[in-house]
Amino acid sequence: MDDSKINIILEKCTGCTLCVRICPFGAIKIENKKAIIDLSKCNLCGACVDSCKFAAIVVDKGSVAKKDLSAYKDVWVFCEQKKGVIQTISFELLGEGKKLANKLGGKLCAVLLGDKIEPKVDELVWRGADKVYLVDAPELKNYQDDPYTKVLVELVKEYKPEVILCGATVIGRSLISRVAITIDAGLTADCTGLDIDEKERLLLQTRPAFGGNIMATIITPNHRPQMSTVRHKVMKEPELNKSHKAEVIKKKYSNNILSSRTRIIDIVEEIEETINLSEADIIVSGGRGIGGPENFSHIKELAKVLGAAVGASRATVDAGWIPYSHQVGQTGKTVCPKLYIACGISGQIQHLIGMQSSKVILAINKDPDAPIFKVATYGIVGDIFEIIPALTKEFKKILKK
Amino acid sequence: MHIIVCIKQVPNTTDVKIDPVKNTLIREGVESIINPFDTYAIEEAVRLKERFTGKVTVVTMGPPQAESALKEAISLGCDEGILVSDRKFAGSDTWATSYTLSCAIKKIGAFDIILCGKQASDGDTAQVGPGISTHLDIPQVTYVKKIEEIKGGLARVERMMEEGYDIVETPIPCLFTVVKEINTPRLPSLKGMMRAKAAKIVQWTAADINSEPKNIGLDGSPTRVVKIFTPAPRKGGEMLKGDAAELAQKVGDLLKDIII
Amino acid sequence: MDYLFNEQQVMVRDLARKIAQEKIKPVAAHYDETEEFAWPIMKILSDSDLFGVYIPEAYGGLGGGITEMCLVTEELSRACGGIALGFAGTGLGTFPILLYGSEEQKKKYLPDIAKGKRLAAFCITEAEAGSDAGGIKTTAKKDGDHYILNGTKQWITNAGEAEVYTVIAMTDKTKGARGASAFIVEKGTKGLEFGLKEKKMGIRASATREVIFTDCKVPKENLISKEGMGFIVAMKTFDNSRPGVAAQAVGIAQGSLDVALEYARKRIQFGQPISSFQAIQHMLADMGTQIEAARALVFATARMVDAGITGVAKDSAMCKLFAGDMAMKVTTDAVQILGGYGYMRDYPAEKYMRDAKITQIYEGTNQIQRNVIAAHMIKESLKASK
């Protein structure tokens, strides 16, 4: 019995192979001029349905009885704090959240958990929060999975938000996945684009997949709240509006909710001489073309003058020229600075995946065929050992250092 | 000590390219590999086995070809491989996937530690690990970069944070998702490869793991993909010419607004 | 070309290739520059079980033969001929024990070598005895329960890094060719010292040193086989290891061809990739064909040795001769294809050329190989005409 949810209408199929090429999972092949779907590989994503010019592919996404979701309203932003300091990702999400709340006709609500954290509420209000759910307790001083998850679940059950946004940080990802599973909600991670389908009241969540090679738009049709995590520096921080006012709702919870199975023994800060790569506005990055570990000194000097972070390609990290914490790329950090200066980096796709969303890319390489020039805003073919010192000198002049 | 490692077989994304003319995915001949982050989980599991003596069971939810990923894990030192495969799982999002894996783990039985890679290189969500621990209602620590000690029913680990790390203590059984900083995965050994060749992989269907139909596959997935498209490719810009001093000046002018 | 290797051999080759490409290739230039011994790579090879591919299972090895050893040597040499010698040189130093050692000696030394815990080195060459191996002057004098070794061995691969040394020394000068014996000497034995590392043209990651015996007391149990068997042990050792040297040459040549091919595809001159020019194409074709011919000779010989066929001296000499000369030509052509870049130390081509030269020289110069081949051919012709 064939109960498959995807079918080819053979009479309409012409074997044109458009679907074969679009399928991200390689699940379609052509046999005897007709498309055949390998159900073991098919993920029912529907990319082929859209691509077929002959409407020969049908996906039955199942008709589940649409639940009554009218009780859910408002857009929530989980505001992350570390050591009593609200992380900037929270502000970015408040900015985005406001736009979504307006389209949905709901309020923008900030959720803040911490210990003696009340003074920080204003920072959230000034960035547009109409309501702040504040849970202040010693047990919530530092992030722990159990109390934070339980508190958030209680808040959701009581106040029923329609959308929840959270930063795609170490804390955010850990927390929000547990919440989503517990309340049976749909969660989409690392969204680069958010929008609202106003008719269906759906959050349209767009995110990269396959290392950024394709984009997918995802919805949660039948579950609420609709939850998304967003990486920092993807959305814009809103302007400060110190005259904005909000309702603050303070909640208290029992020991049961605030208890934790895990316990934090210590918090160790590793002070890096250079700025946190993921947060940096400017990054100067070195690749194999710099020739050797000692040449990172040129890169570091330029970075110092610019107040930039130092990045590296995988080749240099593998060769032991610089620690892995500086690696940018598919198996390293993803960055989106305003300016990325790539020195002696060829631009293999694994590296590009990590930095292609930089606003401006300046590439310097002695090889005119280096793939990086295909994506660089400005390209220079030349000897990095001549150019970098010249740039350093020029920037020093401009910045009057 | 019984350690369970959850892995995923993914396409080697570095091979997946966009055809610049047609703006579509080129997928001919893309090989399948073990999700890179999972190789660190496998390595850590084998190290724990070597440190504390015990057994490593590696499990994956996937199509029949995912068996090769399990065999590769065995060649790296895992003891037993379980493939959870059924057409009914098609269309699973991370909710359904973590549910399915947690059912399989319940069937496997008692364990001390579950290890997962931080995220999969195709989906990139990092949600399945925490999802499994929630379904099983066990404590978790994500982004683990070092397992310091396991003693007296407690594990002490270092959790990597953006500006350093936390030292966290958790009772076991528990789940850890691991990051690349935790170890350097070994290469397979010949003896391991021969063991993998001879190994029999256990296969479980949706019925075998006592999963509820409404929680698996498309029905068990709250999220739906409505569209897949290739992003507008980033185009190359301007090539600057001149000697070092001229170039520096041009660049200075162009980037002045950004760097100040 | 498909040599129809069995499953185990394919597994060995693929694992060696994976290690070579992922772990050795990225650091080859570094070790060539610093001339350090690549212990981290030795550890990886040890963990992978590759050191034991030619050692019987009874002693902890894989139970394969020369074919497996050549597969590993070729793949490792493709990434770096110098680092590969950590493995291949150990093979050379192990054969005397493998072929002529007593059960006790095999049990004592082979397991650690198979696991890669200890490396080995073979010591025969001296300052005055290269091609003329019969002219060695190192002596081994019987003294009660020991032999006292005196003399200096020159240009020994893995010397100083290895822990197990198989040494050919004269026990009875009066007996000429029948007067040499083979011994196992362990690092740390009093009277065993090493000279400074030699500064070489190529295979710079390989450690080459003098091995100096000064009243070095070696227990009599360490005599391999009997007194007087020294040169026979040496000859048989070389017969077995010679395909390995040839495999190294093939690997080096293949590595240089990989570099040349990639470069030719990417280098644009006169508006086209140089790989579209017939001059380059013909060079590439000749290089590829010559490499394959050498490879075929290597594995045909290896298969014979593994099958137990004894009269392989001529074939073994042929494959070493051909592969060595071929490697020198192919690597030189590779530099030529890379043009100016081929001459620059920043690019990998010139290293392959420097590395290839030694394969025409050591383990019997190619001139000696020609002597051996001709001598056999004449003997066979004489026999056939009777």
Side-chain angles (χ1 to χ4, degrees):
Chain A
M1 208 239 332
D2 194 354
D3 56 356
S4 26
K5 302 200 189 243
I6 181 164
N7 280 296
I8 309 274
I9 305 173
L10 292 169
E11 307 81 61
K12 291 190 178 175
C13 173
T14 63
C16 74
T17 77
L18 273 174
C19 57
V20 176
R21 280 179 269 149
I22 198 87
C23 175
F25 303 99
I28 312 182
K29 58 178 197 267
I30 305 289
E31 242 168 63
N32 298 324
K33 281 192 160 263
K34 296 288 176 193
I36 300 193
I37 306 213
D38 183 346
L39 290 164
S40 65
K41 291 188 190 171
C42 171
N43 218 26
L44 297 171
C45 74
C48 54
V49 177
D50 292 333
S51 73
C52 179
K53 292 198 164 81
F54 306 97
I57 309 182
V58 179
V59 170
D60 167 23
K61 300 226 181 175
S63 47
V64 188
K66 234 185 149 146
K67 291 196 221 152
D68 176 13
L69 304 166
S70 54
Y72 292 86
K73 50 169 66 74
D74 292 343
V75 172
W76 285 18
V77 172
F78 173 77
C79 295
E80 184 176 323
Q81 58 85 7
K82 278 202 273 204
K83 294 200 161 170
V85 176
I86 299 195
Q87 304 296 293
T88 54
I89 175 71
S90 315
F91 303 140
E92 293 164 18
L93 291 177
L94 285 170
E96 186 64 23
K98 193 59 173 229
K99 295 187 212 152
L100 302 173
N102 287 340
K103 285 198 181 165
L104 284 168
K107 291 201 164 61
L108 174 65
C109 312
V111 178
L112 184 62
L113 275 56
D115 181 34
K116 304 193 187 46
I117 197 80
E118 193 166 351
K120 300 290 181 179
V121 167
D122 280 335
E123 289 180 28
L124 303 173
V125 178
W126 294 339
R127 268 138 181 127
D130 301 311
K131 261 194 203 160
V132 179
Y133 293 99
L134 174 69
V135 189
D136 202 312
E139 293 89 337
L140 298 173
K141 180 159 182 223
N142 297 306
Y143 172 75
Q144 297 249 67
D145 287 301
D146 282 343
Y148 270 62
T149 305
K150 287 184 275 182
V151 165
L152 201 50
V153 167
E154 289 300 307
L155 284 170
V156 169
K157 280 201 224 161
E158 187 176 345
Y159 295 100
K160 299 193 177 7
E162 202 173 357
V163 168
I164 303 183
L165 303 180
C166 179
T169 60
V170 174
I171 287 178
R173 288 168 145 191
S174 193
L175 167 66
I176 225 67
S177 314
R178 290 192 75 115
V179 172
I181 300 286
T182 309
I183 60 176
D184 202 14
L187 168 64
T188 306
D190 289 2
C191 298
T192 52
L194 292 171
D195 205 352
I196 300 288
D197 173 338
E198 292 177 52
K199 182 157 159 280
E200 301 286 328
R201 297 190 76 79
L202 284 174
L203 179 65
L204 301 170
Q205 304 153 85
T206 302
R207 64 179 308 273
F210 286 101
N213 286 321
I214 60 170
M215 304 296 285
T217 301
I218 295 164
I219 57 168
T220 311
N222 230 10
H223 293 77
R224 292 291 179 272
Q226 304 167 84
M227 303 171 67
S228 299
T229 63
V230 181
R231 287 222 190 158
H232 75 288
K233 297 219 182 283
V234 171
M235 306 296 177
K236 267 231 244 345
E237 264 192 56
E239 302 271 326
L240 269 177
N241 177 1
K242 292 203 178 166
S243 60
H244 188 79
K245 297 268 180 279
E247 185 191 348
V248 180
I249 300 169
K250 297 189 207 174
K251 301 291 294 183
K252 291 250 170 282
Y253 290 103
S254 66
N255 273 342
N256 222 13
I257 300 292
L258 298 173
S259 67
S260 173
R261 285 172 292 191
T262 63
R263 154 177 107 83
I264 296 188
I265 297 182
D266 198 2
I267 299 180
V268 178
E269 256 176 35
E270 284 185 322
I271 321 242
E272 290 203 5
E273 331 161 292
T274 48
I275 303 161
N276 188 345
L277 199 56
S278 317
E279 299 276 324
D281 273 336
I282 306 180
I283 298 175
V284 185
S285 213
R288 185 175 282 185
I290 68 170
E294 60 282 0
N295 296 330
F296 261 106
S297 60
H298 297 284
I299 307 274
K300 287 184 181 157
E301 237 226 283
L302 177 55
K304 195 154 161 225
V305 169
L306 289 169
V310 174
S313 71
R314 182 176 168 169
T316 59
V317 172
D318 281 351
W321 296 355
I322 191 167
Y324 170 68
S325 55
H326 294 270
Q327 185 172 317
V328 172
Q330 187 197 23
T331 47
K333 293 202 169 78
T334 303
V335 297
C336 54
K338 293 194 198 146
L339 172 61
Y340 189 88
I341 303 181
C343 310
I345 294 179
S346 63
Q348 299 301 324
I349 187 122
Q350 298 91 299
H351 188 78
L352 292 184
I353 282 168
M355 43 63 81
Q356 62 192 353
S357 41
S358 308
K359 197 139 170 282
V360 172
I361 299 174
L362 167 66
I364 309 163
N365 196 304
K366 66 179 167 198
D367 177 7
D369 297 320
I372 192 130
F373 290 124
K374 294 203 178 69
V375 299
T377 322
Y378 303 113
I380 297 178
V381 178
D383 184 348
I384 40 182
F385 297 114
E386 280 182 18
I387 299 183
I388 296 182
L391 286 177
T392 309
K393 199 162 138 208
E394 184 69 23
F395 289 142
K396 261 194 192 150
K397 218 167 58 180
I398 295 177
L399 294 165
K400 299 196 188 23
K401 279 198 179 167
Chain B
M1 180 173 289
H2 186 196
I3 304 134
I4 299 182
V5 185
C6 298
I7 69 172
K8 183 178 180 186
Q9 189 179 57
V10 298
N12 192 348
T13 54
T14 59
D15 289 351
V16 177
K17 287 185 179 51
I18 310 286
D19 179 326
V21 172
K22 304 189 195 106
N23 218 28
T24 54
L25 229 54
I26 303 171
R27 280 207 88 247
E28 283 91 46
V30 171
E31 49 151 4
S32 295
I33 55 171
I34 296 181
N35 170 37
F37 283 104
D38 295 343
T39 59
Y40 295 88
I42 293 171
E43 174 64 28
E44 198 61 24
V46 175
R47 286 191 189 191
L48 285 175
K49 176 176 84 158
E50 288 164 354
R51 195 167 147 194
F52 297 101
T53 67
K55 176 177 152 176
V56 179
T57 303
V58 58
V59 69
T60 190
M61 180 187 105
Q65 78 208 45
E67 184 173 300
S68 60
L70 292 170
K71 290 227 166 182
E72 195 183 325
I74 293 178
S75 79
L76 294 165
C78 297
D79 298 294
E80 202 189 324
I82 300 178
L83 172 64
V84 183
S85 186
D86 197 315
R87 272 175 24 186
K88 298 201 173 76
F89 298 141
S92 295
D93 73 356
T94 54
W95 201 105
T97 303
S98 53
Y99 170 80
T100 306
L101 283 169
S102 63
C103 289
I105 292 172
K106 283 193 184 132
K107 188 177 162 83
I108 291 175
F111 61 88
D112 296 282
I113 313 261
I114 301 177
L115 290 177
C116 302
K118 177 178 94 157
Q119 68 196 51
S121 59
D122 55 357
D124 284 333
T125 64
Q127 285 164 198
V128 173
I132 295 174
S133 67
T134 310
H135 280 298
L136 293 174
D137 196 19
I138 56 174
Q140 75 180 31
V141 185
T142 54
Y143 286 60
V144 172
K145 73 167 192 153
K146 185 167 174 199
I147 299 180
E148 284 185 2
E149 178 66 84
I150 302 181
K151 209 162 70 168
L154 287 172
R156 197 174 68 235
V157 301
E158 288 177 19
R159 169 175 67 196
M160 197 173 81
M161 300 295 282
E162 281 90 355
E163 310 88 27
Y165 61 92
D166 296 342
I167 301 183
V168 182
E169 187 186 79
T170 171
I172 58 177
C174 63
L175 179 142
F176 298 134
T177 72
V178 304
V179 290
K180 302 166 87 264
E181 282 81 348
I182 194 169
N183 59 40
T184 304
R186 65 191 67 188
L187 284 162
S189 68
L190 279 175
K191 295 206 176 90
M193 286 162 86
M194 297 196 318
R195 212 163 17 99
K197 215 162 64 96
K200 287 254 163 296
I201 302 292
V202 174
Q203 276 215 26
W204 285 343
T205 62
D208 289 329
I209 60 171
N210 306 313
S211 58
E212 284 197 47
K214 70 171 168 65
N215 286 339
I216 61 170
L218 208 57
D219 291 338
S221 304
T223 60
R224 289 273 185 286
V225 177
V226 290
K227 201 164 73 160
I228 288 203
F229 58 96
T230 51
R234 196 188 167 111
K235 289 210 166 61
E238 210 187 312
M239 295 300 291
L240 305 173
K241 298 226 169 17
D243 67 26
E246 291 168 353
L247 286 167
Q249 212 184 21
K250 278 191 197 166
V251 170
D253 283 336
L254 288 166
L255 300 181
K256 212 170 14 198
D257 295 325
I258 302 181
I259 62 173
I260 295 189
Chain C
M1 207 164 279
D2 191 344
Y3 295 91
L4 303 169
F5 294 123
N6 64 38
E7 257 194 278
Q8 181 176 276
Q9 289 163 340
V10 171
M11 206 187 278
V12 166
R13 183 196 63 193
D14 289 347
L15 183 56
R17 184 173 296 171
K18 194 178 161 94
I19 293 176
Q21 296 301 310
E22 286 179 24
K23 302 286 177 185
I24 300 181
K25 196 155 150 208
V27 297
H30 166 81
Y31 282 106
D32 180 61
E33 192 68 44
T34 61
E35 297 189 71
E36 296 168 77
F37 194 75
W39 279 112
I41 304 290
M42 296 305 124
K43 171 107 199 351
I44 294 174
L45 290 173
S46 162
D47 289 340
S48 70
D49 301 326
L50 281 178
F51 268 108
V53 294
Y54 56 94
I55 293 179
E57 283 183 84
Y59 308 104
L62 188 71
I66 303 299
T67 304
E68 282 80 356
M69 190 195 79
C70 289
L71 283 167
V72 175
T73 305
E74 183 191 332
E75 291 301 331
L76 298 185
S77 302
R78 193 170 169 184
C80 176
I83 294 178
L85 274 175
F87 168 81
T90 295
L92 178 61
T94 308
F95 280 121
I97 305 174
L98 201 54
L99 300 168
Y100 288 95
S102 66
E103 192 56 38
E104 288 75 36
Q105 288 168 336
K106 286 184 187 173
K107 279 214 185 81
K108 184 170 179 192
Y109 293 101
L110 292 181
D112 277 347
I113 292 175
K115 283 213 265 297
K117 275 171 103 185
R118 302 168 109 189
L119 301 180
F122 185 58
C123 310
I124 185 167
T125 303
E126 294 174 17
E128 306 295 318
S131 294
D132 182 11
I136 58 169
K137 291 198 169 54
T138 301
T139 52
K141 200 161 145 209
K142 185 96 188 282
D143 181 12
D145 282 336
H146 291 88
Y147 284 89
I148 314 288
L149 268 61
N150 271 293
T152 303
K153 294 294 182 186
Q154 191 186 57
W155 298 335
I156 305 303
T157 298
N158 288 343
E161 318 290 339
E163 292 190 37
V164 178
Y165 295 81
T166 46
V167 185
I168 311 294
M170 295 303 285
T171 31
D172 188 343
K173 283 207 188 111
T174 62
K175 292 210 177 123
R178 301 269 170 106
S181 306
F183 297 91
I184 305 171
V185 185
E186 293 186 49
K187 187 177 182 196
T189 306
K190 187 155 172 282
L192 171 64
E193 280 165 326
F194 306 101
L196 289 173
K197 232 191 232 184
E198 304 287 356
K199 300 204 278 265
K200 304 189 296 293
M201 172 192 201
I203 54 164
R204 293 171 58 176
S206 171
T208 312
R209 295 182 169 97
E210 281 181 337
V211 180
I212 306 160
F213 300 95
T214 318
D215 292 332
C216 181
K217 250 163 119 176
V218 173
K220 66 176 188 329
E221 292 75 35
N222 285 22
L223 170 69
I224 296 177
S225 179
K226 294 197 301 284
E227 277 193 32
M229 281 293 283
F231 284 122
I232 296 186
V233 170
M235 261 171 28
K236 272 273 118 178
T237 290
F238 281 132
D239 279 349
N240 275 272
S241 68
R242 214 164 279 128
V245 182
Q248 180 193 33
V250 171
I252 292 173
Q254 182 66 56
S256 78
L257 177 58
D258 294 342
V259 168
L261 259 169
E262 192 185 338
Y263 179 85
R265 282 188 298 112
K266 292 190 175 156
R267 172 73 172 172
I268 312 278
Q269 287 287 273
F270 308 108
Q272 15 183 346
I274 63 173
S275 59
S276 63
F277 300 140
Q278 212 173 48
I280 301 289
Q281 286 177 357
H282 284 191
M283 282 173 85
L284 291 171
D286 286 339
M287 289 157 82
T289 308
Q290 293 290 295
I291 293 174
E292 203 62 58
R295 186 178 286 126
L297 267 178
V298 168
F299 288 108
T301 309
R303 201 176 13 250
M304 281 199 289
V305 174
D306 289 340
I309 299 173
T310 44
V312 294
K314 181 188 76 169
D315 311 289
S316 181
M318 280 181 161
C319 83
K320 195 264 183 189
L321 164 65
F322 187 78
D325 284 351
M326 171 281 294
M328 200 59 229
K329 172 126 208 329
V330 166
T331 53
T332 308
D333 285 344
V335 169
Q336 191 69 18
I337 290 177
L338 266 75
Y341 290 103
Y343 206 68
M344 300 303 149
R345 301 229 308 260
D346 277 344
Y347 289 75
E350 59 84 38
K351 173 179 179 291
Y352 283 109
M353 184 177 159
R354 285 187 286 108
D355 290 346
K357 186 62 191 162
I358 194 65
T359 62
Q360 290 178 301
I361 299 174
Y362 68 4
E363 292 211 26
T365 62
N366 281 8
Q367 283 66 35
I368 293 291
Q369 305 301 340
R370 286 179 172 89
N371 285 0
V372 168
I373 296 166
H376 275 91
M377 285 167 68
I378 292 168
K379 198 161 76 177
E380 283 161 22
S381 165
L382 194 59
K383 215 157 127 191
S385 69
K386 281 219 167 91

